[in-house]
Amino acid sequence: MPPSPATPATQDSESASEDRPALTRIRSLPSWLLNRASARGRRLVADALAQDGMRMPHHAVLSAVADLGPVAQAELGRTTGFDPKDMVGILNELQAQELITREPDPADRRKNAITLTEAGRRRLTHLAELGDEANEALLAALTPVERELFLALLTRIVEGEQ
């Protein structure tokens, strides 16, 4: 089957992209821009959490324990997507800071139940504030109406892959 003829709009779009330098074209792609925005957001949040001596994976695990706890260590790993070996290290560090407890699960003594301590809850509240400040900095160039629209559009893009 022969290819369908290009419409004038398609021809104009194709010739416009061919007229631009390749790197300029790439830098204007939604995928490039989303990646750059994502990298900036991660950097802002990582820097904010570092002010309190916390790294992003540790914050994610602490948040998951707050939502799920008491939770089995294996379930926590599945929920967060962290490799089991990494999860052990993260939990060891959080436990050393007395932000979580890890005790045998009363329902199945072969499993560890992870629970957030009161210190962990207070720390998580502070980390949420730092994360909010970082996200505020990320979206500072947008008006409130633009932010709402931007977040709605990003949500549609993300939900499109599910």
Side-chain angles (χ1 to χ4, degrees), residues 14-148:
E14 288 171 1
S15 65
S17 28
E18 290 170 8
D19 292 343
R20 291 186 295 167
L23 187 54
T24 300
R25 182 184 154 315
I26 287 172
R27 287 180 173 166
S28 68
L29 293 172
S31 55
W32 176 276
L33 293 168
L34 284 169
N35 183 52
R36 299 304 309 144
S38 174
R40 182 166 180 256
R42 278 192 311 277
R43 189 171 48 255
L44 287 167
V45 171
D47 290 349
L49 296 178
Q51 293 174 26
D52 194 31
M54 185 66 61
R55 293 191 312 250
M56 290 175 72
H58 295 68
H59 181 230
V61 169
L62 207 56
S63 296
V65 172
D67 288 347
L68 304 171
V71 60
Q73 186 169 321
E75 181 184 345
L76 188 58
R78 284 189 299 275
T79 301
T80 60
F82 290 115
D83 181 271
K85 288 177 260 149
D86 294 334
M87 180 60 72
V88 168
I90 291 168
L91 291 174
N92 286 345
E93 292 173 20
L94 292 173
Q95 189 171 16
Q97 295 177 52
E98 299 181 350
L99 302 177
I100 60 158
T101 59
R102 192 169 23 180
E103 299 171 346
D105 186 333
D108 184 347
R109 312 255 322 131
R110 297 169 296 168
K111 297 179 181 178
N112 280 323
I114 314 300
T115 307
L116 197 63
T117 64
E118 190 53 42
R121 196 166 309 288
R122 285 191 306 272
R123 184 86 172 267
L124 192 55
T125 299
H126 181 64
L127 293 169
E129 292 167 359
L130 292 172
D132 288 347
E133 291 170 11
N135 279 284
E136 177 67 29
L138 177 65
L139 299 178
L142 304 178
T143 68
V145 171
E146 289 171 329
R147 289 176 188 206
E148 191 174 320

